[in-house]
Amino acid sequence: MSTERRAVRLRRNYTGEGQQAALSFFRRHGMHFGLVPDTHDPQQQVFEAAVLRTLARPHPALGPLHTPDAMLAVAAASPGVESLVLWPQPDHLTDFLLHLLPTRAADGIAGVPALRAATGPYKDLVVRLLGRSAQITVRATGADVERARTAAREAGREPLWDQKAAAVGERRSWDALVDSFTPDEIALWSRALRRPALADTSAPGLWARRAPSTAELAGPKPQQLLPRPVGPLAGSVRGTVAVTPAAHGGVGCSTVALQLAAALARGGARVALLADAHDPNSPLGRQDERDDSGPWQPVAAGLPTLRGAALPESRQEARDLVSLARAQADVVLIDTGNGAYPHQHLVQEADLVLAVTRYDRRHWIADTEIVDRRPEHVQMWAWLDQQYLQRRPRRELSPERLLLDFLDVAFADWVFQRTWDDEAAGPDWELLAELEEEELEAGDIETLPAEDEEAALDQWRTEFLAAVDAEGARRHPGLWPEVSAAWPARNRRRNRAGLLPTQPEAAEQEARCWALLDLVEAEAVARWGADLWRDHRRQWAAPDAGDLPLLKPYEDLIEHINIPRPAPDVADILLRPVHQLPTDRVLVTLNRVRGDIEPQQLVDVDRILRERRARGAAFVPYLSELAEFSPDPSALAHGGGPLDAAASRLAVAVTDQLTAGRSAGAH
């Protein structure tokens, strides 16, 4: 039996998918990302886990989803490197959608809260997480969804899956669902959704009381699922790729080039990375570590198929190096650079150009509509908060109180630094004037540790007073003895109460709030009415101690609805800075994309770019790991994690483009 047939059969044993779907995956990716890939994208992983857990433990209004011939009505899955497709069991499709799509039941949200659904470009159903890029494709049509809508309404439930913003309680329900997972469970639930053929469907209540286990998801041959260079990617993809800024530097080209090179090399391709070694961001900083085959040097330990070379200053010598790299590697990546010796001229030598630009939300979102669905009295409280900030009554503080507040602020700063610099030789006594004029911003004041967390606070108070005693007595001889004696106990009491320096105590704060109420009463009555003002103003001025902040329980009733910019306009914006590049070879690569773009908008923009002769668009998500990324990539040989997942998706896009370009050239 051929390697291809064995791999396809094994994949089907895990996923349950059809022969053609499994064959298509193997012929596109081989084993380079694993035979049944997990997702390493944190958003996607949580979303997939939430979907399966919701199916396994549905809302009481729905009842259990018992389908002996399919895992919770999921007959098959097609897990890809950058995607997941679910194939519901046809006989249970409506029931599956009712358990998946969110509806408002009498006592909460049924289905996956904050899930939104729309028919995709192939008339499949694309379900995604509100405000996030995570999504799953479900083999269902618009007609199937309408049948589920009718059934939900007949059962007295309100469909929520096509609302633009979060419905009442949805965010809270989603947070509760995510909080119910332990960190290790999330990956297991996600993997189980990607391997439905392994589930034991003979007994009802599958995973209703426990999470899937590692053992039951291992399957018959777990070692044969691991990534390795087998299949079409190794040696079959050839080409030269230039990674260049679309307009200005500083957009992350070097990081994109290095991560892409590592992903291709992990897949078995021979990769040559050419970059400006003089650029401080270049991965080619070890010019003394060349091998015996010319200008090459190792780039990452554990990746022998990834080699790098420094681009010469001479244009002709740089072109000669590109020719040499083409002869010795499958894929040549050129980081054209933006450093001392940029090599943008090498773009013309490339088969594909990644024009990297930083994601700008303003290019994708035309406007944001804010819909306030909070009760009217809560909106009045929010208005009073604004008035308090804008028209806050002045504090009439005695000289003793000002000096005590000053010592609180100075002590917090002293604790934070445990010293003052030599020039200051003590606290800034000019702060007294800022405190008197209420000009000191709260964000400029340090916070003390809690009394029960730092045993040395009393000792530090003694040391602090000793450090400022002489200057305090000189500046304030009449006040200093009494203030310095009272300050330690006062500071300790306020810190135990959780009060920040300068923060008024409860009685004083209430008095200031009532003063503001008197000041704005006429305007408030005209705006909100006498009854609302009379019934709810006191709760704002004197909330019950220990209660949550007044506005917090109502936060999810403020809807922020993004209004997408039309896809043709976005395409115009993306193409404008790349007009000097060969358009028919440009793949616009947006770096650090946030999760607030509608997936359908991404699809539409990609389609329009292709219609305008570009190669489309690729997207690198925003990852905190990028902010901490070091040009010394010691862990590039090991796959896993969100950074590698993003690089793998980009590698798939690049290899698809190179393969498509070669096929077009053959014809």
Side-chain angles (χ1 to χ4, degrees), residues 259-280:
Q259 291 293 325
L260 174 59
L264 290 168
R266 287 196 302 269
R270 297 174 301 161
V271 182
L273 176 60
L274 311 181
D276 177 10
H278 298 281
D279 188 334

Side-chain angles (χ1 to χ4, degrees), residues 117 183 236 258 271 462 468 475 484:
S236 67
L258 181 59
V271 182
T462 301
V468 301
R475 288 175 176 267
S484 60

Side-chain angles (χ1 to χ4, degrees), residues 261-606:
L264 290 168
R266 287 196 302 269
R270 297 174 301 161
V271 182
L273 176 60
L274 311 181
D276 177 10
H278 298 281
D279 188 334
N281 294 318
S282 171
L284 306 179
R286 303 181 298 278
Q287 300 183 56
D288 57 330
E289 297 183 21
R290 292 183 173 85
D291 60 27
D292 297 330
S293 56
W296 307 112
Q297 63 185 74
V299 176
L303 282 178
T305 59
L306 171 57
R307 299 184 299 169
L311 286 164
E313 298 175 28
S314 163
R315 287 194 171 198
Q316 185 55 51
E317 291 179 9
R319 291 193 185 96
D320 292 343
L321 180 60
V322 172
S323 297
L324 177 64
R326 279 179 163 173
Q328 298 185 4
D330 300 322
V331 180
V332 180
L333 288 178
I334 307 172
D335 179 2
T336 65
N338 199 54
Y341 301 102
H343 291 82
Q344 272 80 12
H345 63 282
L346 292 176
V347 164
Q348 302 304 324
E349 310 291 321
D351 303 304
L352 180 68
V353 179
L354 303 191
V356 182
T357 184
R358 185 68 59 83
Y359 164 67
D360 188 333
R361 185 179 187 274
R362 296 169 299 176
H363 296 164
W364 295 79
I365 306 299
D367 198 3
T368 300
E369 180 183 355
I370 299 177
V371 180
D372 193 342
R373 302 191 185 281
R374 296 174 298 182
E376 198 171 11
H377 68 277
V378 178
Q379 296 185 43
M380 185 183 77
W381 291 339
W383 178 79
L384 285 171
D385 282 350
Q386 293 177 339
Q387 298 302 307
Y388 185 86
L389 293 174
Q390 297 169 5
R391 304 158 70 171
R392 179 172 53 194
R394 284 187 57 82
R395 303 167 70 192
E396 299 297 334
L397 300 180
S398 65
E400 293 86 350
R401 172 66 183 279
L402 278 171
L403 191 52
L404 286 166
D405 281 355
F406 165 77
L407 290 176
D408 284 343
V409 173
F411 177 60
D413 183 60
W414 183 85
V415 167
F416 179 72
Q417 302 184 51
R418 290 306 311 281
T419 185
W420 289 299
D421 59 53
D422 294 338
E423 293 182 5
D428 180 7
W429 291 87
E430 300 302 318
L431 284 176
L432 266 172
E434 293 186 43
L435 289 170
E436 186 171 14
E437 296 300 323
E438 298 191 74
E439 295 176 350
L440 189 62
E441 298 290 338
D444 296 331
I445 301 174
E446 300 296 342
T447 303
L448 284 177
E451 292 294 317
D452 57 354
E453 292 177 359
E454 181 52 73
L457 274 173
D458 279 334
Q459 177 61 31
W460 290 347
R461 290 185 180 101
T462 301
E463 294 174 9
F464 168 74
L465 276 181
V468 301
D469 186 68
E471 188 66 13
R474 186 185 72 80
R475 288 175 176 267
H476 304 280
L479 297 175
W480 188 252
E482 180 181 351
V483 167
S484 60
W487 174 78
R490 175 185 184 270
N491 181 265
R492 187 185 309 110
R493 174 179 57 79
R494 287 176 53 84
N495 196 36
R496 282 177 176 160
L499 295 172
L500 302 178
T502 75
Q503 183 178 349
E505 299 190 29
E508 181 188 352
Q509 178 64 23
E510 183 176 346
R512 297 183 80 188
C513 287
W514 280 108
L516 177 75
L517 292 178
D518 291 340
L519 181 66
V520 302
E521 181 166 15
E523 183 180 351
V525 169
R527 185 184 184 99
W528 304 100
D531 292 342
L532 197 71
W533 177 250
R534 181 189 64 245
D535 294 342
H536 296 283
R537 61 176 180 163
R538 184 190 178 285
Q539 192 173 354
W540 176 83
D544 293 335
D547 280 358
L548 287 173
L550 287 178
L551 303 182
K552 187 172 181 59
Y554 304 93
E555 287 177 350
D556 61 351
L557 297 181
I558 300 178
E559 300 177 4
H560 298 268
I561 302 174
N562 290 332
I563 301 174
R565 193 178 296 278
D569 294 352
V570 179
D572 288 342
I573 293 171
L574 296 179
L575 288 174
R576 199 173 298 145
V578 301
H579 66 277
Q580 79 282 6
L581 300 174
T583 304
D584 61 342
R585 284 176 273 161
V586 166
L587 181 67
V588 178
T589 306
L590 285 106
N591 196 12
R592 303 193 182 186
V593 176
R594 299 277 182 173
D596 51 3
I597 305 180
E598 292 280 352
Q600 187 59 48
Q601 189 184 22
L602 299 180
V603 172
D604 292 343
V605 169
D606 180 74

Side-chain angles (χ1 to χ4, degrees), residues 50-88:
V51 164
L52 186 56
R53 192 180 185 282
T54 300
L55 295 175
R57 305 176 189 180
H59 188 278
L62 298 171
L65 187 58
H66 179 47
T67 52
D69 49 349
M71 179 198 75
L72 300 169
V74 178
S78 291
V81 178
E82 74 288 359
S83 62
L84 175 63
V85 180
L86 298 182
W87 306 71

